[in-house]
C-alpha cells in the first residue's frame, strides 16, 4: 500500500514483438513468475518505477509514525501505550527495510529523504488526516492498516526480489496491527456512550480517506497497465477497493457502527457491496498539499532532519577520527 | 514472605516500589515524546524500544506497589489516578527532552544509576523485587551500552556536538545527586535487605561516569549542589504537564474501560 498514483514513464505497454531482445527476455522471466534480483538486467523504466513506489511506501511508513505518535503520551492504559509504542516502532522498522530495498536499486536513503523533504516525492494521502480522539488509533489500525494489507498481500508476489521479501515480513506485522486496531474499536464500540460516540466519529472521518488510499480508478491507466505487466502492481485500484469494502462492512456491523454511506448495499449479482466513491477532488487537494495536516506532517519530518544534523555529523566525525586513529 | 513482610514496614516497601516505577514511567513518557521526531530512523526505533522497556518495567513495579499496598489499586490506577504530589520519581527523569543531546545525556546519567541499582536489587531479600530487577536489568544493560556509546561518540565528535553534550551534562548534573540521598524509606529498605543504601551506589556510578566522560572528552562538573524533592513528592513544574497528557483520558472519562 501506501503507494498511490505511481508513474511509470510508459507511453503504452509494449508487446513482446515490439521489445528489444533484452526487454523480451526480462518480460518472459517476469511472466514465468521468476524474481528479479538487484544486479540483474532490468529496463530503466522498471527500476525508476520501483524506486518511486518503494520510496513512497518507505516515506509513508515514517510519516505514518506521526498521527499515531500523537497519542502515545495520552494512551489510556499502560498496556495500550506499550502496544502503540511497539506498533510505531514496527513502522519505523518497515521504513528501514524499504529504504534498504530501494538502495539495492542504486538510490541512497539520504537521496530519498531529500526528495521527501523538498516535496518531489509523496507519502500516502491518509497520513495528512489528524488523529483527534483515541478511537482514531483504533480506526487507523483497523482501516488504514487493513487497506495497507489489502495492497501488500498481493505484493508479496511482486517480481522484484528485495521488495517481495520486505513485503512478506511487513505483512506479518501489519496483520497483527490490524487486529490490535480492531480490538481498540471493539472496546470503544462496546464501551460507554462517550466511547461509542468516539468510535463512530473515528469511522466517519476515516472511512473515505481509507477508500482513497487505493488511489482513483486506474482501469484505463497506462501506468497501471505497465506496472501490472511488470508485476510491481498485482491488482487494479478498483479491485482492491472493492475487496476492502467487502471485508470491512461486516466488521463494522459486528461493532454496531454505521459506515457513513447511504448508498452502501449488497449487490447479489456482483457478489459484493455497492458503495459511494470518495470525493476525489478532496483527494487531489490532499495530494497537492492542502490536506488538514500536510504542513504539520512534512514540517515535523523536515524539522527532525534539520535539528538532527549536528547529531549525524557528530557521529560521522567520531567515526572518521576513530578510523584515522586506528589506521595510525 | 510472611516473616519478611513483618520485618519491614509495608508503607515503606510500597513507597520504594513507587519510586522505581515512577522513574520508569516518567522517563518512558519523556522518551516516547520523540517518536517520529528523532534525528535518524535508527534512533526512532531505538527510542521506541527504550520507552517500551521502561513502560513494561513500570507495569511490574507499580503492579508490585499495588499488591503491597493491598487496597485494590493496580499499576494503571497508580499511573493514571495519582496527582503530582503522590509521584516519587527523581527530578532528573522529568527534565524536558531539550535537544537530542540532552535526552541522551539524561538517559546515560540515569541508566548508569539504574543498572547498578537493579544489580543490587537482584540480591534483594524480597523475591518479588529480585525477580523484577533481574528482568529489567537485562534491558537496562542494553540501554546503558547504547547511551554511553552515543555520549562518547558525540562528546568526541564535532565541535558542535561536543559543545552540546557538555552543555547537557552541565545542565543535568545538579539533578544527579538525588539518586544517592537516603531518607527513612531507604534506611528501612536497606535495614531489611530489600534495597541497597543509595549512597553505596555512588562510587561505582562515579567511576562509570568518569570513564565515559573521559572517553567522550567531556568535563564532569565539580559542583556538588543537588536539586531534590522528587522522592518525597515535591517536583518541578514539568511533572504536572506530563501528567496532564498521560492521564487525560482516564481523568476525562472516569471508570471507562479501554
Amino acid at each position: 500500500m501506501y503507494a498511490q498514483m505511481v508513474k511509470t514513464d510508459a507511453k503504452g505497454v509494449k508487446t513482446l514483438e515490439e521489445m528489444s531482445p533484452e526487454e523480451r527476455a526480462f518480460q518472459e522471466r517476469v511472466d514465468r513468475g521468476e524474481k528479479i534480483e538487484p544486479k540483474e538486467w532490468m529496463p530503466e523504466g522498471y527500476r525508476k518505477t520501483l524506486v518511486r513506489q518503494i520510496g513512497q511506501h518507505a516515506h509513508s511508513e515514517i510519516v505514518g509514525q506521526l498521527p499515531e505518535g500523537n497519542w502515545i503520551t495520552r494512551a489510556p492504559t499502560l498496556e495500550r501505550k506499550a502496544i502503540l509504542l511497539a506498533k510505531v516502532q514496527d513502522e519505523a522498522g518497515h521504513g528501514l527495510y524499504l529504504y534498504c530495498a530501494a538502495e539495492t536499486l542504486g538510490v541512497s536513503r539520504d537521496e530519498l529523504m531529500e526528495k521527501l523533504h523538498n516535496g518531489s516525492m509523496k507519502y500516502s494521502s491518509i497520513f495528512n488526516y489528524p488523529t483527534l480522539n483515541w478511537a482514531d488509533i483504533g480506526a487507523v489500525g483497523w482501516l488504514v492498516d487493513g487497506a495497507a494489507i489489502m495492497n501488500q498481500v498481493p505484493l508479496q508476489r511482486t517480481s522484484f526480489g528485495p521488495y517481495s521479501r520486505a513485503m512478506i515480513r511487513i505483512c506479518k506485522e501489519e496483520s497483527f496491527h490490524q487486529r490490535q486496531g480492531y480490538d481498540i474499536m471493539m472496546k470503544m464500540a462496546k464501551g460507554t456512550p462517550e466511547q461509542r460516540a468516539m468510535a463512530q466519529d473515528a469511522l466517519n472521518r476515516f472511512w473515505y480517506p481509507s477508500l482513497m488510499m487505493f488511489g482513483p480508478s486506474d482501469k484505463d491507466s497506462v501506468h497501471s497497465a505497465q506496472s501490472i505487466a511488470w508485476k510491481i502492481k498485482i491488482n487494479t485500484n478498483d479491485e482492491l477497493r472493492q475487496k476492502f469494502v467487502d471485508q470491512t462492512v461486516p466488521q463494522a456491523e459486528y461493532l454496531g457502527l454505521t459506515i457513513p454511506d447511504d448508498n452502501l448495499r449488497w449487490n447479489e449479482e456482483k457478489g459484493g457491496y455497492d458503495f459511494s466513491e470518495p470525493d476525489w477532488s478532496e483527494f487531489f487537494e490532499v495530494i497537492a498539499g492542502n490536506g488538514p495536516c500536510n504542513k504539520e506532517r512534512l514540517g515535523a519530518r523536515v524539522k527532525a532532519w534539520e535539528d538532527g544534523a549536528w547529531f549525524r555529523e557528530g557521529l560521522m566525525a567520531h567515526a572518521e577520527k576513530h578510523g584515522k586513529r586506528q589506521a595510525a | 514472605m510472611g516473616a519478611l513482610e513483618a520485618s519491614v514496614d509495608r508503607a515503606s516497601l510500597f513507597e520504594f516500589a513507587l519510586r522505581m516505577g515512577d522513574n520508569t514511567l516518567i522517563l518512558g513518557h519523556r522518551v516516547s515524546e520523540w517518536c517520529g521526531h528523532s534525528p535518524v530512523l535508527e534512533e526512532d526505533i531505538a527510542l521506541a524500544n527504550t520507552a517500551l522497556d521502561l513502560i513494561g518495567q513500570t507495569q511490574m513495579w507499580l503492579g508490585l506497589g499495588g499488591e503491597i499496598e493491598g487496597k485494590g489499586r493496580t499499576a494503571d490506577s497508580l499511573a493514571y489516578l495519582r496527582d503530582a504530589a503522590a509521584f516519587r520519581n527523581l527530578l532528573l527523569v522529568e527534565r524536558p527532552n531539550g535537544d537530542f543531546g540532552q535526552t541522551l545525556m539524561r538517559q546515560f546519567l540515569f541508566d548508569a544509576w539504574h543498572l547498578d541499582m537493579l544489580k543490587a536489587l537482584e540480591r534483594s531479600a524480597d523475591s518479588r523485587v529480585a525477580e523484577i530487577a533481574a528482568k529489567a536489568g537485562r534491558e537496562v544493560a542494553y540501554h546503558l551500552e547504547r547511551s554511553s556509546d552515543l555520549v562518547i561518540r558525540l562528546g568526541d565528535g564535532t565541535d558542535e556536538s561536543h559543545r552540546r553534550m557538555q552543555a547537557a551534562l552541565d545542565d543535568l548534573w545538579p539533578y544527579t545527586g538525588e539518586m544517592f540521598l537516603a531518607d527513612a524509606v531507604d534506611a528501612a529498605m536497606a535495614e531489611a535487605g530489600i534495597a541497597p543504601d543509595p549512597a553505596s551506589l555512588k562510587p561505582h556510578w562515579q567511576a562509570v561516569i568518569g570513564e565515559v566522560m573521559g572517553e567522550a572528552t567531556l568535563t564532569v562538573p565539580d559542583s556538588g549542589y543537588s536539586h531534590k524533592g522528587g522522592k518525597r513528592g515535591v517536583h518541578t513544574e514539568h511533572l504536572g504537564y506530563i501528567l496532564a497528557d498521560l492521564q487525560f483520558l482516564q481523568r476525562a472519562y472516569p471508570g471507562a474501560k479501554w
Side-chain angles (χ1 to χ4, degrees), chain A residues 307-328:
Chain A
D307 288 354
W310 71 269
F311 171 87
R312 297 187 302 273
E313 285 158 12
L315 295 186
M316 291 298 285
H318 180 84
E320 216 166 275
K321 280 191 222 175
H322 199 66
K324 269 187 197 153
R325 265 184 226 149
Q326 275 187 337

Side-chain angles (χ1 to χ4, degrees), chain B residues 118-137:
Chain B
L118 292 170
K119 278 188 184 162
L121 292 178
E122 280 186 49
R123 300 187 300 271
S124 174
D126 187 315
S127 60
R128 299 167 298 182
V129 170
E131 256 171 54
I132 297 174
K135 187 168 186 297

Side-chain angles (χ1 to χ4, degrees), chain A residues 272-286:
Chain A
Y273 286 90
D274 289 333
F275 59 94
S276 300
E277 289 276 312
D279 175 358
W280 291 111
S281 65
E282 177 183 316
F283 172 78
F284 287 109
E285 285 293 348
V286 173

Side-chain angles (χ1 to χ4, degrees), chain A residues 62 65-66 69 71-83 85-86 88-89 92-93 95-96 99 109 113 134 187-188 192 194-195 198 300-301 304-305 308-315 317-318 321 325, chain B residues 25 29 32-33 35-45 48-49 51-52 55 58-59 62 75-76 79-80 99-101 104 150 152-154 156-158 160-161 164-165 245-246 248-250 253 256-258:
Chain A
I62 60 162
Q65 294 180 90
L66 298 170
W71 279 90
I72 288 177
T73 58
R74 291 177 292 167
T77 67
L78 294 172
E79 191 187 358
R80 290 288 180 206
K81 190 187 291 286
I83 291 170
L85 270 166
V88 177
Q89 185 188 18
L96 204 53
Y99 286 122
R109 199 204 305 181
M113 289 277 183
W134 172 251
K187 268 272 186 331
M188 299 295 280
T192 64
E194 289 98 333
Q195 286 176 304
M198 285 185 231
R301 289 308 311 171
W305 187 251
W310 71 269
F311 171 87
R312 297 187 302 273
E313 285 158 12
L315 295 186
H318 180 84
K321 280 191 222 175
R325 265 184 226 149
Chain B
L25 175 60
H29 183 99
S32 77
E33 290 173 351
C35 193
H37 302 276
S38 86
V40 66
L41 196 46
E42 285 80 354
E43 287 304 312
D44 274 329
I45 296 173
N49 193 56
L52 192 54
I55 297 306
T58 304
Q59 289 175 293
L62 295 186
D76 276 343
Y80 286 90
D99 68 11
F100 203 66
L104 283 174
L150 285 170
I152 289 168
R153 293 201 276 159
L154 293 167
D156 185 21
T158 58
E160 185 182 3
S161 71
R164 285 177 185 262
M165 296 312 284
D245 265 358
L246 178 79
F248 157 67
L249 284 169
Q250 290 280 355
Y253 303 97
K257 299 278 177 278
W258 304 92

Side-chain angles (χ1 to χ4, degrees), chain A residues 62-63 65-67 116-117 123 293-308, chain B residues 34-39 44:
Chain A
I62 60 162
V63 176
Q65 294 180 90
L66 298 170
L116 168 67
H117 296 157
Y123 51 89
C293 296
N294 293 58
K295 287 213 164 54
E296 284 98 323
R297 299 290 188 244
L298 191 55
R301 289 308 311 171
V302 170
K303 184 175 188 305
W305 187 251
E306 287 174 354
D307 288 354
Chain B
W34 275 102
C35 193
H37 302 276
S38 86
D44 274 329

Side-chain angles (χ1 to χ4, degrees), chain B residues 166-185:
Chain B
Q166 185 66 54
L169 178 58
D170 294 346
D171 192 38
L172 293 166
W173 189 252
Y175 295 94
T176 56
E178 193 183 14
M179 300 189 284
F180 308 106
L181 296 176
D183 61 9
V185 170

